[in-house]
C-alpha cells in the first residue's frame, strides 16, 4: 500500500491486517524513519506490517515494492490544496509521476489488482447534484489537475494494457488522525480552547462527509468485488452539510457556545473554491454490498474524542488548556 502512514492509509492498514492480509506499507523516506500515523495504530497491528521507506517518484524502487503483491492500494499523494498553489510541480511529480510508476510496476509484476485513489475534487463545483461518475471534470486547483491526470493515466492503462484497476473516488473523508490542517480538526482545535468565537474560511461551501471507517470499507469492497474492476466509483454518503452547519454540529457535540466568524485570510481564491460537492453513490452501492454506516453526529463525536485524547496533533496554539 502507498500512503500507508497517511490519514486514510493508516486506517486501511489496520482494517486489512485485522482481515488477515499481509500488508507491505510504503512510508515516505525520511531521515528520522518516522512512520506517520502508523505510530497511532495498535501494537498488535503494527507488529504484523512490513514497513518499507521510500519514494513514489523512484520507478525502480516502486517496481520492487509492488513485486509479489496480490493487490496494490495506491493512496500516496500530495493532498493539501493550499500547498498545491505554491508547489504545483511537486504535485505533478508525486501525483502523476508516482501513479505512472505504480502503473508500470503493476504491468511489470504480473498484473496485481490496483485500487487507485481519486478524489471528488476532480469534479470541481457541482454542476448538478447528486454528482454521479458522469459529472464533467473541472480542475479548480493544481491538486485537482494532477488527480485528474492520474485518473486518466489509470483509465488509459486499463484500456491500453489490460491493467486490472479500479478507481475509487472518495468525497471528503474525516475522522481520527486527519491532518490538523483540514477543516474539522481545525474547528475542534479552536473549540477545545473554549473561545467566544471560532474563525473559519468560507462557511457556505457544501460537502459530503464520509467517516474514515466507511471510506476504508469502500476500499476493501472495491478490492473484493470483481465486477468493479476497470471502473471508477464515487465513495460518498449522498448527504450534504455546509461548513457553517458542520461547525455548529461540532460546537454542539462539544457543548461549546462559540460564535462562528469567517476570516478573509482563510478564503481560497474565488474561482478555486469548490462550492458544492454531493455524491451519488448509486453505482458503487449497486455493484457492492458497501453502505456508509456512520452518521455525521456519531462520526464527529468519535473524532472529537480522538483529538481530546491527542491534543498534541492539533495546530500549535489552537488549544489552550
Ligand atoms: N482526506 C480526504 O478527505 C480525501 C478525499 C478524497 C480523496 N483523498 C485521497 O486519498 C488519498 C489519501 O489521502 P489522506 O487524506 O490519507 O492524505 P495523507 O496526506 O494523510 O496521506 C498521503 C500519504 O502519501 C504520502 N506521500 C506523499 N508523497 C509521497 C512520495 N513521494 N512517496 C511516498 N509517499 C508519499 C504522504 O507521506 C502521506 O502519508 C490521497 O490520494 C488523496 O488524494 C483524500
Amino acid at each position: 500500500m502507498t500512503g500507508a502512514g497517511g490519514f486514510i492509509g493508516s486506517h486501511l492498514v489496520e482494517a486489512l491486517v485485522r482481515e488477515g492480509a499481509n500488508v507491505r506499507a510504503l512510508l515516505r523516506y525520511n531521515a528520522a524513519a518516522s512512520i506517520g500515523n502508523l505510530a497511532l495504530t495498535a501494537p498488535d497491528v503494527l507488529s504484523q506490517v512490513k514497513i518499507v521507506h521510500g519514494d513514489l517518484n523512484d520507478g525502480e524502487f516502486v517496481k520492487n515494492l509492488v513485486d509479489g503483491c496480490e493487490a496494490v492500494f495506491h493512496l500516496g499523494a500530495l493532498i493539501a490544496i493550499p500547498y498545491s498553489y505554491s508547489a504545483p510541480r511537486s504535485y505533478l511529480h508525486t501525483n502523476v509521476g508516482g501513479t505512472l510508476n505504480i502503473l508500470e510496476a503493476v504491468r511489470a509484476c504480473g498484473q496485481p489488482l490496483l485500487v487507485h485513489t481519486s478524489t471528488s475534487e476532480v469534479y470541481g463545483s457541482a454542476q448538478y447534484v447528486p454528482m454521479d461518475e458522469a459529472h464533467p471534470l473541472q480542475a479548480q486547483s493544481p491538486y485537482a489537475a494532477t488527480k485528474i491526470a492520474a485518473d486518466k493515466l489509470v483509465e488509459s492503462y486499463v484500456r491500453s494494457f489490460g491493467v486490472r484497476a479500479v478507481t475509487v473516488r472518495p468525497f471528503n473523508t474525516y475522522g481520527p488522525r486527519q491532518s490538523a490542517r483540514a477543516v474539522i480538526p481545525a474547528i475542534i482545535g479552536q473549540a477545545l480552547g473554549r473561545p467566544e468565537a471560532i474563525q473559519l474560511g468560507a462557511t457556505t461551501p457544501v460537502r459530503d462527509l464520509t467517516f474514515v471507517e466507511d471510506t476504508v470499507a469502500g476500499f476493501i469492497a472495491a478490492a473484493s468485488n470483481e465486477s468493479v474492476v476497470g471502473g471508477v466509483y464515487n465513495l460518498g454518503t449522498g448527504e450534504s452539510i455546509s461548513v457553517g452547519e458542520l461547525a455548529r454540529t461540532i460546537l454542539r457535540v462539544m457543548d461549546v457556545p462559540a460564535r462562528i466568524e469567517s476570516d478573509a485570510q482563510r478564503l481560497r481564491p474565488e474561482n478555486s473554491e469548490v462550492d458544492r460537492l454531493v455524491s451519488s453513490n448509486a453505482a458503487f452501492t449497486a455493484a457492492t454490498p458497501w453502505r456508509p454506516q456512520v452518521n455525521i453526529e456519531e462520526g464527529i463525536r468519535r473524532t472529537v474524542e480522538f483529538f481530546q485524547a491527542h491534543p498534541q496533533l492539533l495546530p500549535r496554539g489552537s488549544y489552550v488548556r
Side-chain angles (χ1 to χ4, degrees):
M1 182 192 312
T2 73
F7 160 48
I8 301 174
S10 68
H11 288 278
L12 181 56
V13 167
E14 262 177 330
L16 289 169
V17 167
R18 296 214 188 280
E19 293 214 348
N22 291 320
V23 179
R24 200 178 288 176
L26 171 62
L27 295 157
R28 190 172 193 178
Y29 180 84
N30 60 85
S34 69
I35 58 171
N37 282 309
L38 285 184
L40 296 165
T41 59
D44 65 313
V45 168
L46 198 52
S47 63
Q48 295 185 59
V49 178
K50 180 169 168 36
I51 289 174
V52 183
H53 279 98
D55 199 310
L56 275 170
N57 292 312
D58 183 322
E60 290 77 24
F61 166 83
V62 169
K63 228 167 254 174
N64 285 330
L65 176 78
V66 165
D67 197 17
C69 291
E70 277 172 39
V72 176
F73 292 89
H74 176 40
L75 286 82
L78 294 176
I79 71 148
I81 292 169
Y83 184 42
S84 82
Y85 298 139
S86 53
R89 198 175 300 280
S90 303
Y91 281 65
L92 183 73
H93 284 154
T94 298
N95 297 357
V96 186
T99 301
L100 182 61
N101 288 338
I102 290 285
L103 287 163
E104 281 296 319
V106 297
R107 269 186 82 198
C109 299
Q111 304 279 26
L113 175 69
L114 170 63
V115 181
H116 165 68
T117 315
S118 176
T119 166
S120 53
E121 289 285 329
V122 299
Y123 295 129
S125 281
Q127 296 174 23
Y128 58 83
V129 292
M131 303 160 85
D132 57 16
E133 292 80 358
H135 187 286
L137 304 181
Q138 176 165 285
Q140 290 184 211
S141 61
Y143 166 65
T146 61
K147 294 295 279 191
I148 291 172
D151 294 0
K152 288 291 170 187
L153 271 177
V154 173
E155 180 183 306
S156 76
Y157 271 60
V158 168
R159 289 175 177 268
S160 308
F161 307 116
V163 162
R164 297 181 59 245
V166 49
T167 295
V168 288
R169 186 164 283 161
F171 281 58
N172 293 70
T173 296
Y174 71 101
R177 306 180 198 157
Q178 183 167 25
S179 160
R181 289 196 173 93
V183 64
I184 291 177
I187 296 170
I188 294 172
Q190 291 184 53
L192 281 173
R194 305 193 74 80
E196 287 183 2
I198 61 160
Q199 308 288 328
L200 296 180
T203 54
T204 52
V206 167
R207 293 290 183 268
D208 177 340
L209 295 168
T210 310
F211 190 63
V212 65
E213 271 181 26
D214 283 329
T215 303
V216 160
F219 276 84
I220 293 175
S224 316
N225 287 274
E226 192 59 34
S227 67
V228 298
V229 174
V232 179
Y233 293 91
N234 289 342
L235 287 183
T237 66
E239 305 284 331
S240 57
I241 186 166
S242 73
V243 173
E245 286 165 339
L246 173 65
R248 280 191 287 280
T249 306
I250 296 170
L251 294 174
R252 189 172 62 248
V253 167
M254 296 177 71
D255 198 20
V256 173
R259 287 192 315 280
I260 296 165
E261 291 175 356
S262 187
D263 172 3
Q265 285 187 348
R266 295 174 190 239
L267 297 177
R268 289 196 209 172
E270 194 180 334
N271 290 329
S272 185
E273 181 61 82
V274 172
D275 297 323
R276 191 162 60 144
L277 290 171
V278 184
S279 73
S280 161
N281 60 22
F284 199 59
T285 53
T288 73
W290 180 79
R291 305 285 180 274
Q293 303 289 329
V294 181
N295 68 31
I296 188 80
E297 294 261 344
E298 168 68 8
I300 292 293
R301 195 184 56 69
R302 288 166 64 178
T303 308
V304 168
E305 277 172 13
F306 170 80
F307 282 109
Q308 280 172 330
H310 299 87
Q312 75 282 6
L313 298 177
L314 290 163
R316 207 165 297 165
S318 71
Y319 175 37
V320 185
R321 274 181 197 272

